[in-house]
Amino acid sequence: MTFDDVKRRGLVMLGCGKMGGAMLEGWLARDLPPASVHVIDPHPAAWLTDRGVQTNGRLPDDPAVALVAVKPQMMADALPQLAPFGGGRTLVISVAAGTPISYFEQVLGPGTRVIRAMPNTPAAIGKGITAIFGNAATTDADMALADSLLQAIGQVVRLQTEDQIDAVTGVSGSGPAYVFYMIDALAAAAQAEGLPDDMAMQLAKATVAGAGALAEATDDTPEQLRINVTSPNGTTQAGLAVLMDADGGLGPLMRRTVAAAAGRSRELKGSA
Ligand SMILES: NC(=O)c1ccc[n+]([C@@H]2O[C@H](COP(=O)([O-])OP(=O)(O)OC[C@H]3O[C@@H](n4cnc5c(N)ncnc54)[C@H](OP(=O)(O)O)[C@@H]3O)[C@@H](O)[C@H]2O)c1
């Protein structure tokens, strides 16, 4: 299964809101013909028809891929619409948080090739990271195709077990919110040191964005980058002495933060 199969046999999208739309924009930019995309969505966005994507029309008989991008609470209503594509010929890729692979197998039938993916919100600007896991029916070629399709919204990592999705949810899924809060906290600290509000926010955003970009761009580890800017008895060392406190510092706080989010993900799965 390759991108050419998707062009030829078509792609069905169940739900095309924020996440589905971000993915579709990436694929159209990579020359997926709009006519091969078929969106099922009760209120399709206007740009879809403007770009030549088919919305709520006749579906292909044998699409290569069906992407599930509805909210988990809509899943029970929405998923049966993909029933004709169950059983193995169509590769089903779901980005829905919290819906396990077993649910897709149950609704779409045994033998259905299902890949579960967990993206995050920077996907909206092509800077997301998505973790994927495929069921036993998926092939290496399916995983490679999902990998390349999801690269339209950023980086992709492959999981060894479906359970790891809970940890991924606690790290990269919820992680953008932690970083947004870190920006706010840094800006508030800048204001407390007497800087004007706008400048405080500009300094905080640029510092987080710039440090993140530098950490990704260089071969140095984040630890080495930190050591590089920490001179003995200097200002950075004074700040890090607080931030890196073994008991009350960021390390144990981040550990508790991620554990709480991953734990909640496990709880929600239990109540699904
Ligand atoms: N946004 C993220 O950053 C993010 C991150 C990780 C995972 N996800 C997952 O991505 C999925 C989609 O999230 P989203 O943020 O893109 O939500 P969204 O913007 O609300 O998009 C969902 C779309 O599905 C449509 N829909 C509702 N009922 C439907 C049905 N019965 N059949 C077909 N389409 C239907 C909705 O239409 P209406 O608006 O008319 O209801 C909407 O256009 C979720 O499962 C979420 O867990 C999102």
Side-chain angles (χ1 to χ4, degrees):
M1 178 86 74
T2 64
F3 197 60
D4 280 341
D5 292 308
V6 181
K7 287 182 177 172
R8 193 169 47 82
R9 291 170 50 195
L11 169 79
V12 170
M13 298 185 68
L14 182 66
C16 192
K18 288 185 285 293
M19 186 53 73
M23 295 170 84
L24 181 54
E25 285 197 62
W27 296 329
L28 296 176
R30 291 173 175 211
D31 293 334
L32 182 67
S36 59
V37 181
H38 306 260
V39 166
I40 309 171
D41 192 302
H43 305 103
W47 72 269
L48 295 171
T49 26
D50 292 349
R51 292 284 290 274
V53 170
Q54 324 232 17
T55 55
N56 299 320
R58 188 177 174 279
L59 298 176
D61 294 331
D62 182 33
V65 172
L67 181 89
V68 181
V70 293
K71 295 265 189 205
Q73 58 271 30
M74 299 295 164
M75 192 62 76
D77 277 346
L79 191 59
Q81 297 173 91
L82 294 187
F85 311 127
R89 285 200 46 84
T90 298
L91 174 64
V92 176
I93 303 177
S94 166
V95 297
T99 306
I101 284 177
S102 57
Y103 184 81
F104 295 96
E105 292 170 337
Q106 191 190 314
V107 175
L108 301 178
T112 304
R113 289 144 59 221
V114 185
I115 293 177
R116 190 173 160 197
M118 180 67 207
N120 64 359
T121 52
I125 55 161
K127 298 224 179 255
I129 184 158
T130 305
I132 59 175
F133 179 77
N135 71 353
T138 53
T139 63
D140 289 348
D142 291 337
M143 295 304 285
L145 176 63
D147 204 311
S148 78
L149 285 173
L150 289 159
Q151 281 178 34
I153 50 166
Q155 302 178 43
V156 178
V157 295
R158 296 192 193 185
L159 303 177
Q160 284 93 38
T161 67
E162 187 176 4
D163 281 353
Q164 288 175 328
I165 286 220
D166 297 312
V168 168
T169 303
V171 178
S172 57
S174 304
Y178 311 157
V179 177
F180 300 143
Y181 182 65
M182 191 180 302
I183 292 173
D184 274 336
L186 194 54
Q191 286 173 30
E193 289 296 328
L195 294 169
D197 295 4
D198 287 357
M199 189 192 293
M201 185 51 81
Q202 189 180 353
L203 287 165
K205 279 186 190 172
T207 301
V208 171
L214 179 59
E216 282 228 304
T218 169
D219 288 337
D220 285 344
T221 61
E223 180 185 24
Q224 187 60 50
L225 291 171
R226 169 171 55 76
I227 290 167
N228 292 349
V229 293
T230 311
S231 32
N233 280 324
T235 56
T236 308
Q237 191 179 63
L240 285 175
V242 177
L243 195 68
M244 295 177 71
D245 183 79
D247 300 320
L250 187 61
L253 186 61
M254 193 56 84
R255 178 74 193 92
R256 292 209 307 279
T257 300
V258 171
R264 183 71 184 131
S265 178
R266 288 182 197 106
E267 262 172 34
L268 289 173
K269 187 170 56 183
S271 63

